[in-house]
Amino acid sequence: MVKSGLVDRPDVSHYRLAVHLTTAFITCSYTLWVALPLLIKKNNVGNAKIFKYLKILLIIVLIQIVYGAFVAGLNAGLAYPTWPKMGDQFIPREVFSSNPQWDFLNGVFGVQFIHRMLAILVASFSIFIYFKTKSLFLEKNETISLNVVFGIIFIQFLLGVLTLLFEVPISLALLHQLGAFFLLLS
């Protein structure tokens, strides 16, 4: 990956970046998943209803991570450094225009739009899970785990907005990427 992208320019294909990042994140997450039963001696399998919701959240978060890599690889965060609107509109015309910029895989406006919408979906779905779990009897470790997930989602959302508003400083962008890693781990 590095050799293919760093020959003539200091970046790589956003597709390669997404595959590299997602593979690394999934490898670490799976390692933790395998290690957890060794770390937690309790034979509690947890609440099946919560687990179903969390599997859906996991899929959305994985797609969001891929789109985060697309945003980074295309420098799409610089296209509209505003929040909550993109410029002066919620859906700017560049997202759906007839030129190639509407593309949701290669166009900076389309990629940034999808990443924003997925962030809202992740936050909304986590709020949904939060209210669904309020009526359930949960073990202490389940409550703590859910609070960690919700806290990381809140911090990650805030970091994403701040990264946009400050026009993608490398320190905030790296914290946002690190937040995605810890969100997937959680």
Side-chain angles (χ1 to χ4, degrees), residues 1-24 69-70 72-73 177:
M1 183 179 124
V2 172
K3 182 180 176 188
S4 69
L6 299 179
V7 176
D8 297 321
R9 54 183 205 181
D11 56 4
V12 296
S13 160
H14 62 289
Y15 294 116
R16 289 181 178 163
L17 181 62
V19 168
H20 182 77
L21 179 76
T22 307
T23 303
F70 286 177
Q177 185 179 24

Side-chain angles (χ1 to χ4, degrees), residues 12-13 60 87 89 101 106 132 136 151 179 181 186:
V12 296
S13 160
I60 299 168
Q89 300 172 326
Q101 295 296 347
N106 297 307
K132 281 292 193 178
L136 300 174
F181 176 71
S186 70

Side-chain angles (χ1 to χ4, degrees), residues 47-81:
N47 187 302
K49 194 173 205 176
I50 296 171
F51 192 65
K52 181 179 89 173
Y53 292 139
L54 292 176
K55 284 193 288 188
I56 295 168
L57 183 63
L58 172 68
I59 291 166
I60 299 168
V61 166
L62 282 170
I63 295 168
Q64 176 68 326
I65 289 170
V66 169
Y67 266 91
F70 286 177
V71 168
L74 292 170
N75 295 319
L78 299 171
Y80 279 113

